[in-house]
Amino acid sequence: MQGTKVFKLLSYVKAFIVVFIIFLIVFVFTFVISDFIEVENLKSLAEYFEVLLSSAIVSLVSVILVYVSLQDGNKSKMMENQLRLREMFATERRIWIHEQLYIYPEKDRKTLRKEYAKDFKTGNSNHDIENEFDLALYDYIGLFELCNYLIKEGQLDREVFFNAYSYRLYKLTKSKVIQEELEGSPEYWIELKKIIEQNKALRKRHGLSDL
């Protein structure tokens, strides 16, 4: 994905800047202390620069090793987060919400509230019925907002995420309940709207219909 490539490019640029700064520090430090060292005590001027070059190479190698280690650690962390996300989506109530929105996108909120109350025995009063379903719905779609935050922070691999959950986001936008929620609360669900738009752009690039 383009976003992942940009993120990697920025990481390489940052690594290069760090290496350059360290090399510069080593050079300046060596230049400063040279005033306190009698150059003639060295075998030759070439030996002096050899010391400088060796110091720079050691610094460069050290930074590269640290950078590679951090990159590997970040990849492992992203995959770990992906597995945790899968577990989070797999709870009984989130699966119920997903199935209803996926299979029955035409159902309205009133119908889903009653069916949720019946399946999970949430209570008999209208207040209980409305609250329990709405909370479960917000919990489910709130996960997608969390995903967008994690992707932006480089804690979740963009390509892996969309390969696994693009169809969920697509089906989400076809649900009558979700459409009403997004249209009725324009000041809320900002991150959800962003990730939905990213998914639309992704599907368009792959030639998939958004109808």
Side-chain angles (χ1 to χ4, degrees):
M1 304 300 296
Q2 189 66 26
T4 304
K5 291 180 179 178
V6 171
F7 177 76
K8 289 181 178 178
L9 178 60
L10 290 175
S11 297
Y12 290 132
V13 171
K14 290 178 182 177
F16 175 79
I17 292 174
V18 170
V19 171
F20 178 78
I21 291 174
I22 291 177
F23 178 83
L24 186 62
I25 291 173
V26 172
F27 178 81
V28 172
F29 177 74
T30 307
F31 179 78
V32 170
I33 66 172
S34 66
D35 292 336
F36 303 96
I37 299 175
E38 295 183 4
V39 177
E40 59 268 18
N41 291 334
L42 299 176
K43 291 182 178 179
S44 64
L45 187 61
E47 184 176 329
Y48 172 78
F49 284 103
E50 182 180 339
V51 173
L52 174 62
L53 181 60
S54 298
S55 300
I57 291 175
V58 170
S59 300
L60 176 61
V61 171
S62 298
V63 170
I64 291 175
L65 290 175
V66 171
Y67 176 73
V68 170
S69 177
L70 290 174
Q71 286 293 95
D72 290 341
N74 189 53
K75 289 180 181 179
S76 298
K77 187 65 176 178
M78 287 194 291
M79 291 309 299
E80 182 180 334
N81 288 338
Q82 188 74 31
L83 292 173
R84 287 181 179 177
L85 183 63
R86 185 175 182 178
E87 293 175 357
M88 293 171 73
F89 272 114
T91 63
E92 183 181 7
R93 298 188 183 224
R94 288 171 183 159
I95 289 174
W96 189 94
I97 293 291
H98 164 65
E99 289 177 345
Q100 295 300 315
L101 299 180
Y102 186 91
I103 302 173
Y104 310 106
E106 73 285 353
K107 285 186 178 180
D108 57 24
R109 189 183 293 260
K110 184 177 180 180
T111 301
L112 288 171
R113 281 172 172 170
K114 289 181 178 179
E115 293 181 358
Y116 186 88
K118 178 182 178 182
D119 289 347
F120 291 99
K121 300 179 175 60
T122 57
N124 297 320
S125 70
N126 289 333
H127 177 74
D128 289 338
I129 293 173
E130 292 178 6
N131 272 356
E132 292 296 330
F133 169 76
D134 289 356
L135 288 174
L137 178 67
Y138 299 154
D139 172 69
Y140 178 74
I141 60 180
L143 269 183
F144 288 104
E145 290 212 309
L146 173 62
C147 291
N148 200 48
Y149 279 118
L150 292 174
I151 290 172
K152 288 194 297 184
E153 294 298 320
Q155 297 299 310
L156 198 63
D157 187 277
R158 180 183 298 273
E159 185 172 357
V160 173
F161 170 79
F162 280 108
N163 283 342
Y165 297 102
S166 176
Y167 79 102
R168 287 196 186 221
L169 284 165
Y170 169 71
K171 280 297 188 178
L172 206 64
T173 61
K174 304 307 171 185
S175 166
K176 181 178 180 180
V177 172
I178 298 299
Q179 290 173 357
E180 292 175 351
E181 183 67 35
L182 295 179
E183 293 171 4
S185 306
E187 71 276 24
Y188 301 119
W189 305 117
I190 303 301
E191 296 301 321
L192 177 62
K193 292 172 184 176
K194 288 179 180 179
I195 202 168
I196 286 175
E197 289 304 313
Q198 292 177 58
N199 193 55
K200 286 181 178 179
L202 173 71
R203 291 177 60 83
K204 185 175 181 180
R205 285 199 300 270
H206 287 274
L208 299 174
S209 172
D210 202 45
L211 298 177

